Structure formats: C-alpha cells, structure tokens
Amino acid sequence: MEKFLDLGLQPLANSYLNKKNLNLREKKFRLIVSFNPKNYLVSILNTVSKEKMFNEKYPYKSSESFTMRNSFKKFSHKIKKRFKPNLVLEIGSNDGAFISNFNKKKIIGVEPCKNLARITKNKGYKTFVEYWNVNLAKKITKKNKVDVIYSANTLSHIKNFSEIFRAVNVSLNKNGVLILEDPSLLECIKNVAYDQFYCEHIYVFSSIALQKILNNYNLEIFDIENTFTHGGSNRYFIKKKSNSIYKINNSVRINFKNEKTFGLHKISTYKKFAKKVEFSRIKLNKIFRELLKKKKKIIGYGATAKSCTVLNYCKIKKGTIDYFYDTTSFKINKYLPGTKIKIKKYKKLTKKDADYVFLGAWNFKKEIFKKEKKFIKSGGKFISHVPIPRVL
Ligand code: TYD
C-alpha cells in the first residue's frame, strides 16, 4: 500500500448535526488515500464501521434527483431488453429508484438502511433489510437463482467485498449477469475530484483494478459503459468465467487501455494527482477570500458528502459560506459535519439569496443550471472546484 493523499481530519460525511448537538465533539478520522501496486486498488486507509454509516438515519435518497431517477428508469428498460431476466436483484436498493421500474414479482431489493427499506416495503416490493452476504444470498435464492444482479454506488462502500462476490456466485444463475455501477477512478483523477473520497467511499474503482479482484472469484467483465452520473461512472457488466454466452466486448479493451495510458497502474500518477489537489485547495481558498473582500454573499448548493470533504480539507469557515440549500428533507435545518454550516430548505435561487453559489453537487451541474436559469441570467454566479476551482 502506498499512501499518496492526506485529506486531513474529517468528520463522518453523512453525519449531519442537529442544533442541539452542535457543540458536541464530533467523531473524526484521518482521511488518507492509498494505492495498491499489486491490484491497482485505490482505497482510503482508515475506515468507519458499516453500522455507523448505514443505519436507519441514512440520508441519501436516489429518488430525490431527477437525473438519478431518469438514469435508473432508462437503464432498467435496457436491462429488460438486453437480458430478458425472470428475476432481478438489487444490492443497495435505497428508496427504490431502480426497483420501482420492475414488476413486483420479478425484483428483489436488499437494503440495510431501515428508513429506506421501509419505503419500498410499503410499496409492496420484496425488500430484505439486511447487509448483502452469503447467508442472505442462500436464503433468498434457495428456490430460484437470479438472472441479473444490479448494484449502483454500493460496492465502493463495502470494505469486505470478498463476501459480496462470494454471495453473487451463490445466487447468480450460471448464465446470469452482475452489473456494477460506481464512480470511475479515471474521471476522478482527471477531474481532480478528490471529494470522491470520504468515509463511505472506501474504494474508487478503475476497471483494471476491478478485473484483478474479480479474477479471484472466477468472474470477468464483458462490457463497460461510461456514464455521466456522479461525475462520471462506469457500468460494468460481469459474468461467470464459465459462461460463454457473452463475448468480451471491445469496450473492455478500450477502457483498460485508456486507464493504462493515463497511468492508473502507476503510483507516479497518484502523486501527481495529490499535487493538483493541494493546488486546488489553495485556488479555492483564494477565490473565496477575494469574494469576501469584495463583500460578496456566498451560499452553497447541494450539501453533499463530497462537499464535506472539500470544506473540511480546505478548512472553509462557517462565515465564508452563509448556508447551503438542499432538497433532501432529512438534511434541512441540520448542519454540515465539521464546518457546521446550516442547511436550508431549497428554493429557486434569486440574486437576493446570494451573489455566488458554491456548487456542492457539481455532479448535477447540468440539472442545476437548467433549474437556475433565472439566477444565472440576472448575473448570479456559481463556483465549482471541479476540475479546477473557478467562477462559472
Ligand atoms: P450526491 O450527488 O449524491 O452527493 P454525495 O454522494 O456526495 O452526497 O448528493 C446530491 C445532493 O444535492 C443531495 O443532498 C440533493 C442535493 N441536490 C439539491 O439540493 N438540488 C438539486 O437540484 C440536486 C440535483 C441535488
């Protein structure tokens, strides 16, 4: 393991504070990112137990974003067309943004966060409120194995992925397909999106690293789609090595090649990235300093886990950003971990709100800019740190 990036002391990214516990000491951990030259895995060193992160208070709901709802809807149609599955299972079904596109008899959700699982259960979807593991896989698929297993933005959260793949091997039909979707390491490094690293994102995968891991479980990637969600993600189509129905698509070779050409298999690439991260911090602080000098009012948009990393790493103070707007009901009237900046219920931006808006949810830039056309027309500006801190 070679450490290449130290993002300092960080609170748990999704542990939003109530007014009454604002003065309590927050649990913090040192966010250090490392590279394993043997299997090319990039991961954070100090991890937080899954029970502390994924419980009945988990705030993230996929359905609250139009972009995500739309992406899941489109993709579920594609799955039905391409694989014609009789039974689909989703690991990390969240509030049902994906599974709600399927016939209730043909889909199973697995979601350990009770508050989220309750939503899909109440709608009549078969949902197991458990962590995905071999025992659960055996229990669920005793009678019928699954044709497609889908999991988006979940694998990167799971430290012990060996259990995940063993459970997949138990439950997947011999000709079944595992589809994983996670932020792309190549996009993360290219865009200096260091905020992809926080307590929940234990790993940010490259396809070359994922294939090395899959080899240990007799699984292989046969197709890769590059998607735009979460700032650039990869959708990996994986099969058992014994399954010869699906040929290895050219997309796999191309992704492997692009990643190697960029140098994702070499520590020197990550060291260069770390230098750019440091520069990004200096530049962002400079932008804020200059705007404050001119007495400009700055607020934030999208109180994301990602912005928690940025704000704490850059040591941005409460007074710099007045407050954040966010649409997630659970976050409203709470405070961002570490910086304790207040989160207010979102309303359409006007120039009265602010002169400058820090884009915490930069991964939804397109959706947000469309929504805030009026604000932009009236001279309102956004600040984004990706790929380099600048006023947009
Ligand atoms: P997300 O991108 O999932 O980031 P992370 O995984 O880093 O937490 O979260 C997006 C957040 O941004 C979520 O809290 C909802 C908020 N948001 C808005 O407030 N308005 C919007 O228009 C969009 C698209 C998101």
Side-chain angles (χ1 to χ4, degrees):
M1 287 285 207
E2 301 213 34
K3 300 175 196 173
F4 64 86
L5 180 63
D6 184 349
L7 293 167
L9 272 187
Q10 294 274 350
L12 304 196
N14 274 320
S15 293
Y16 298 88
L17 302 159
N18 286 317
K19 196 167 188 181
K20 70 175 192 310
N21 52 22
L22 262 186
N23 293 323
L24 296 181
R25 240 177 112 103
E26 288 172 90
K27 189 177 160 35
K28 296 205 173 164
F29 76 108
R30 187 133 203 157
L31 185 54
I32 294 173
V33 193
S34 69
F35 170 68
N36 183 337
K38 282 201 187 120
N39 59 11
Y40 311 147
L41 247 190
V42 167
S43 58
I44 65 172
L45 270 192
N46 307 316
T47 54
V48 176
S49 80
K50 60 182 189 301
E51 290 79 8
K52 278 209 175 90
M53 297 189 284
F54 308 110
N55 50 41
E56 70 288 352
K57 289 191 183 133
Y58 193 63
Y60 178 75
K61 282 189 190 162
S62 329
S63 292
E64 289 194 351
S65 143
F66 170 77
T67 308
M68 292 313 291
R69 273 199 320 271
N70 208 25
S71 157
F72 284 131
K73 189 173 173 186
K74 273 195 189 153
F75 189 50
S76 55
H77 290 317
K78 265 189 168 176
I79 292 180
K80 287 180 210 168
K81 226 172 138 186
R82 184 170 177 188
F83 302 112
K84 302 183 179 57
N86 282 322
L87 189 58
V88 179
L89 182 141
E90 188 185 16
I91 308 169
S93 49
N94 197 275
D95 64 347
F98 174 74
I99 64 173
S100 57
N101 296 294
F102 288 85
N103 179 325
K104 288 181 180 136
K105 287 190 186 124
K106 292 188 164 193
I107 187 107
I108 300 169
V110 176
E111 176 51 63
C113 303
K114 270 190 206 149
N115 56 330
L116 300 172
R118 200 178 298 131
I119 300 172
T120 50
K121 268 190 156 182
N122 287 344
K123 286 187 185 156
Y125 286 94
K126 196 170 195 177
T127 314
F128 290 84
V129 196
E130 287 178 56
Y131 293 101
W132 174 245
N133 58 31
V134 173
N135 282 342
L136 180 64
K138 281 184 185 159
K139 185 167 91 181
I140 294 180
T141 56
K142 216 185 297 171
K143 281 192 200 134
N144 289 319
K145 297 227 176 193
V146 181
D147 304 305
V148 169
I149 298 181
Y150 178 60
S151 192
N153 304 305
T154 309
L155 188 67
S156 55
H157 296 98
I158 301 170
K159 190 174 181 187
N160 180 10
F161 48 62
S162 127
E163 182 77 20
I164 301 300
F165 294 122
R166 285 195 290 120
V168 163
N169 268 330
V170 165
S171 51
L172 194 64
N173 254 329
K174 68 179 192 322
N175 292 330
V177 179
L178 164 67
I179 306 167
L180 297 175
E181 192 170 329
D182 266 295
S184 145
L185 182 65
L186 184 61
E187 291 304 316
C188 162
I189 302 289
K190 269 188 187 167
N191 290 324
V192 199
Y194 62 90
D195 51 347
Q196 288 290 10
F197 299 105
Y198 53 90
C199 55
E200 286 175 17
H201 279 184
I202 299 171
Y203 306 100
V204 178
F205 292 102
S206 58
S207 53
I208 50 175
L210 185 63
Q211 185 52 64
K212 280 212 176 250
I213 295 156
L214 292 171
N215 283 338
N216 301 329
Y217 307 93
N218 287 319
L219 295 166
E220 66 185 338
I221 306 172
F222 68 91
D223 197 4
I224 302 175
E225 279 176 13
N226 307 116
T227 70
F228 60 87
T229 53
H230 289 292
S233 296
N234 285 339
R235 194 176 269 157
Y236 305 98
F237 296 78
I238 298 158
K239 64 177 187 68
K240 294 186 175 177
K241 282 192 175 173
S242 54
N243 168 355
S244 55
I245 290 185
Y246 305 107
K247 297 280 162 274
I248 312 278
N249 195 299
N250 219 10
S251 61
V252 179
R253 197 183 51 79
I254 293 169
N255 274 275
F256 286 178
K257 187 166 167 266
N258 288 346
E259 291 179 359
K260 286 221 163 150
T261 307
F262 195 83
L264 290 191
H265 59 310
K266 290 188 293 199
I267 182 67
S268 55
T269 306
Y270 300 98
K271 287 191 171 155
K272 256 189 253 160
F273 166 72
K275 284 205 179 111
K276 286 188 186 164
V277 174
E278 174 73 34
F279 174 74
S280 175
R281 175 171 67 151
I282 296 168
K283 185 96 203 280
L284 186 63
N285 271 308
K286 190 166 170 239
I287 291 175
F288 282 136
R289 239 188 352 260
E290 283 171 1
L291 292 177
L292 289 181
K293 229 194 260 167
K294 291 184 194 153
K295 304 249 177 307
K296 299 290 182 194
K297 185 173 172 190
I298 310 169
I299 64 165
Y301 196 115
T304 55
K306 288 189 281 295
S307 47
C308 176
T309 294
V310 177
L311 300 175
N312 287 289
Y313 169 65
C314 297
K315 298 197 167 56
I316 304 226
K317 297 269 168 332
K318 211 163 142 184
T320 305
I321 296 179
D322 264 20
Y323 58 86
F324 266 77
Y325 271 144
D326 201 287
T327 48
T328 312
S329 44
F330 182 87
K331 296 182 186 175
I332 292 161
N333 289 328
K334 293 205 169 104
Y335 297 80
L336 272 152
T339 52
K340 301 179 179 174
I341 299 171
K342 188 163 183 180
I343 305 165
K344 291 190 184 178
K345 186 176 171 159
Y346 164 77
K347 64 172 190 57
K348 236 181 175 55
L349 289 179
T350 70
K351 273 285 276 168
K352 273 190 206 140
D353 295 308
D355 305 301
Y356 289 80
V357 178
F358 173 67
L359 210 48
W362 56 268
N363 46 319
F364 290 111
K365 188 171 122 195
K366 230 173 152 185
E367 180 176 340
I368 293 171
F369 275 29
K370 211 166 150 192
K371 233 180 353 192
E372 309 302 343
K373 254 193 226 145
K374 264 197 176 156
F375 172 70
I376 298 171
K377 256 198 172 156
S378 64
K381 300 262 190 266
F382 282 91
I383 303 166
S384 177
H385 66 288
V386 174
I388 36 168
R390 68 201 195 287
V391 172
L392 301 170

